[in-house]
Amino acid sequence: MKKIRRLAAFAGFLAVLIAVLSVNSALLEQKYSKAVMGGFYELEEDSVDVIFAGSSHMLNGVLPMKLWENYGFTSYNIGQHGQRLNMTYYYIKEAIKKQHPKVVVVDLYYAFESQINDDAANLHKSVDNLQWGASKIGAIMNAAPKSLRLELFYNMFLYHTRWNELEKEDFLYLTERPYNNTGGTELRWGNVEFTSPNVIPADQTKELTEDTVEALEKIVNLAAKNNVELVFTVFPYIAADDYQACYNKAGQILQAAGQHYINLMYHMDELGIDFSKDFYDSEHLNPAGAAKVTDYFGRYLKDHFQLEDNRQNTDYAGWNTMLERYEREVIAGKTGAEGDPVTYLSYLSDPEYAVGIVIKPDQMAIGEEVMGALGDLGIDTEELVHRDNNYVCMIDGGKILVDDSTEAPQAAYTQELGGIAWEITCGSDIASVMIDLREWALNKESINIVVYDKVLQKVVDSVCITNDGQQLIRK
Amino acid sequence: MLFNSISFLIFFPVVTLVYFLIPHKIRYLWLLGASYYFYMCWNPQYALLMATSTLLTYLSGLLIDQANKMEDQRKRNFWRKFWVAVSLILNLSILFFFKYFDFAVDNLNRVLGALNITLVQPEFDVILPVGISFYTFQALSYTMDVYRGDIYVERNVAKYALFVSFFPQLVAGPIERSKNLLTQIGQRHTFSFTRARDGLLLMLWGYFQKLVIADRVAILVNSVYGTWQHQTGVPLLVATLFFAIQIYCDFASYSNIAIGAAQVMGFKLMDNFDTPYFATSVAGFWRRWHISLTTWFRDYLYIPLGGNRCGKVRHYLNIMIVFLASGLWHGASWTFVLWGFFNGAFQVVGSLLKPVRDRLVRIFRIDRSSFSHKLLKAAVTFGLINFTWVFFRADSIYAAIEIFKRFKNYFYPWMLVDGSLFTLGLKEPEFYLTLICIGVLFVVSLLKYKGMHIRETLAKQGLWFRWLIYILAILAILNLGVYGPGFDASQFIYFQF
C-alpha cells in the first residue's frame, strides 16, 4: 500500500513538474516568428487551397490576403528565414497533413548551395514553430546538423539564458497566442534603391549539389504521393550570376520531371518590378513588390489550376474578416514604419485609430511643423504654447474627446476609447498611457503618442517626438 | 563522461534501474562494467592504466597476505614491506610519469640550462589521464590497509576492481577507504525510497552548486585572471573571492553528486566537505576541506612520519612535508607547490604564535566562545586561505606576485560602486544573481554548520512545501544554469588532478 502511495505521489510530482516546465518553456522561448506558424495552426483544417513555402524570399514575397481579395483563393504563407529546401520538405509535409492543399508554391532561393544548414538561429525559427510530430522530429534528425539536434529537441538549452531578457510579450504569450493577420507573410516596410540586376541567359547553368537535388526529389515525391501540385519559383532579387545559373539548372531538372517552374527573374517586365521601389533590401521584397508578385501568382494559379474563387461563398466569410484585419495590419505597418514626425501625425486621424497623446512640460517650445500637424488633428494648439502646462489629448476615430492643458501639477484622465479603459496621466516627469491596466507610453521625450487600432484590438505603435520635430523615437 | 552532461543523465538512471532489477550476486559485475564504461568515455586507453593500478594493488594485497603467513618473522617483515614498497613504487611511478614527467623535464632543463648543458627534449607529450591522482591514492590505501591489518584481503578481483573504479567517485573523489567502500560492495542493497530521495536531493544541490554558482562565477574569474596584466586591485580581489566560491562549489558539487548517486544505489561514501569557509583556523580549514585527501595524507604520510608525536621541529617538518606533497598532488606546477607551502606554513606559524594569542586573550579578556571572536577568527582564516588561492589560480608565481602588487598599489575602492563590477564578465543582472546564489550557499552552509540536517528537515515538511522546493530547485538549475550553446559543458576543476 505504501509502495502504491509512493508511486502515485511520484507520478503526481512528475505530472506537476512537466506542467511547470511546459509553462517555463513557453515563457522563455524566443517568440520571434511565432505568429507565422501560430496563425497556420489556427486555420480550420482543409480550408486552404494554396500553401507558399520556402525561405524568407517567400515569407516576404507573397501576400495571401491579396490573393484572396483579388482572386478568392485561400492560401497561407509558411516561409521562414534561412530555410533550406531539406527543411521546406518538412514544412510542406506538415502543411499537407493539416490542410491538404491543392497547390504548394516552393521557393528555390537556396538551390544555389548545399542544404546543410548550421545556422542555429534560423534552424530554431523553423523547428521551434513546428508542432511536435513526425515532421518536427524528421526535420531535427534530417535537416539539422548533429551538433544542434539536442538544443532543437529541448530548446531550453538555448533559451534558458533569456531569464534576464524577458519582456512583456513573453508573459503575454502564456495566455494570449500572437495572432497573425497577414496570412503568414512578414511585411517589411521600407525601401532601398537598386539598379536592376544582370540577368543571365536561361540556358546558362551550373550543377546543383547532390543534397539539393535530393531535397527537390523528396518534395516532388511527397507531393505526388499526396496529390498535390507543385509550382517551383525564384523571386526577383539582386542575384549573383552563378546563383542564377543554379536556378536555371534546377528549372531544367524540374521541368524535365513535369513540374511547374517560374523564374520571376525572367518576368520582371511583366511583373512591373521596380528595383528602386519594390525592395526592402537586396534580397527581399517590400509589400509593394510583394503585391506585384502575388498578382502574378494569382493569374498563374487561375490559368493553370482548378482553384475555386470563394469570395462569394458564405462559408468563407471569415476570410473577409481576415482581409479586413490584414488591411488594418498594412496601415499599422505603414504607421509603424513612418519616421517623419509630421507625416506620422497625419496618420492619427484614421477612423479606426484611438490615440492618446501626452505632452509633458518642457523648456523647449514645440516646433512649428509639429504644431501645425497637431493642429490638423483638431488639437487646440494655442494651449500648447504654454510649455509649463501638462497636456493630455484623446482622439477616437479622428474625433477629439479630450484636449486639455492644465497648470495643475498633474493631469489625469480616464476614458473609454475603442471599447476599453484608458488612463492617461501627465506630470513634469510622468507620461503614462495605461490601456487596460498596461503601460504603453515610452516617456523618453516631451511628446508621447500611443496608437491603438480598434479593429486589430491592439496597440500598434508607441512613439515619442522631439520638440523640434526632428526625431521620432520608438524604443 | 561529465556529471553535467546529457549522457550521464541517461547513464545514471539506466545503471541504477538495472542494478536493482538484477540479482544481488551479479550486481557488482554490472557496476564494474558500468564504471569502466563511464571511465572509457573519456579515453578507452586510460582504462588500461586504471586496470594496471588495480591489478598491481590487488596483487600486493594477496602477496602481503601470503607474506603474513610466513613463519620466520624476519622474512615475514621483509616481504610484507617489500610488497608494500613495490606497490607504492610502481603505482607512484605511473602517477609520476603521467603527471610529473613534463614538469620534471622542464625543471631539469632549467637547471641544466643554467649550467649550459642542453638536454634532449622528449618527443612525446604526456597527457594526464583523468582522475589518476584519485584512483591511485584510493588503490594505494588498500595496499597499506592490508599491510596494517585494517582490512581483509579481497580475493575477488572483480569486487576489488569495482572498489577502485566505482564510477560516482572515480574521477574526483571522495577518495574512499577500503574499510568503507570495499566492505559495502559485498553487501546486499535493497531499494529504499527515502534513501533514494535523499540521494537525489543531494545530487540536485550538487548540480545547483556546479551549474548555477561555480560555472557562473568562473566567467568572471576566467575573464579577470585571464587578463590580470590589465586589471587593477578591486577586480582582482573580487575575482579571487569569486574563485574561492568557484573552487569550493566546483569541487563540493562533484562530491555531492558522487555521494548522492552512490546513496541512491545504497552505498554510503564519506563526506568530503564540511562548511570549510566557516573554519576558525587553517588547520581547522583542512579538517573541513577535501576531507578524504587530508585524512589520506594524515593516515598514510603524516602519521608514519611521526605526526605530532615527536619533537616540535619534527612535527612542523611533518606538516610542511604533508602540505608540500598535497600541493604537488594538486598539480605539476610550482604555483601548487607554493600554495601547499603557504598552507603548511600558516599552520606552523599559527602553532608557533599560539602562546602569543593566548596572552592577548588573557590581556584583553576575550571570550573565545563569543560569536565576535569566532567571526574574527573565521574572517582571518578566510583571508589567509584566499591568499593561497591566488597562487592556486594564477598562471605562474610571477603572475601571483604581480597580482598581490596590484592589490596593494592599484586598489581603487570606488570601483565597487561605480558600475565597474559589471564589466568584468558578468553583466549587472548576472552579477546580482551571482550574489543571490552565493547568499543561498551561505544560508545552506550556515544551517549545516549549526547542525541542521537540511534534507531530513525538508523530508518532514508537508507535501506541497517539499514539491515546491524540488520544483524551484529544478527550475533554478534549468533556467539559471550555465550550460548550452555558448557555454561549454565546463569540466570540474579537480579533473586535472
Side-chain angles (χ1 to χ4, degrees), chain B residues 52 206 257 328 414 460:
Chain B
T52 305
I257 295 169
L328 210 52
W414 54 88
K460 290 175 190 162

Side-chain angles (χ1 to χ4, degrees), chain B residues 63 228 275 297 313 413:
Chain B
L63 292 165
W228 65 265
T275 61
F297 274 120
V313 172

Side-chain angles (χ1 to χ4, degrees), chain B residues 56-71:
Chain B
L56 285 173
T57 47
Y58 167 75
L59 287 171
S60 73
L62 292 178
L63 292 165
I64 291 168
D65 185 54
Q66 202 173 55
N68 281 341
K69 290 170 185 160
M70 288 180 180
E71 286 184 13

Side-chain angles (χ1 to χ4, degrees), chain B residues 139-150:
Chain B
L140 283 174
S141 76
Y142 169 75
T143 299
M144 289 184 275
D145 285 347
V146 169
Y147 172 79
R148 289 174 180 177
D150 289 340

Side-chain angles (χ1 to χ4, degrees), chain A residues 6 9 24 28 151 157 160 163, chain B residues 193 433 467 478-479 481 483 485:
Chain A
R6 281 216 162 117
N24 186 59
L28 288 166
E151 66 175 89
F157 276 109
H160 74 278
W163 62 269
Chain B
F193 175 84
L433 174 67
W467 282 16
L478 282 178
N479 290 347
Y483 67 92

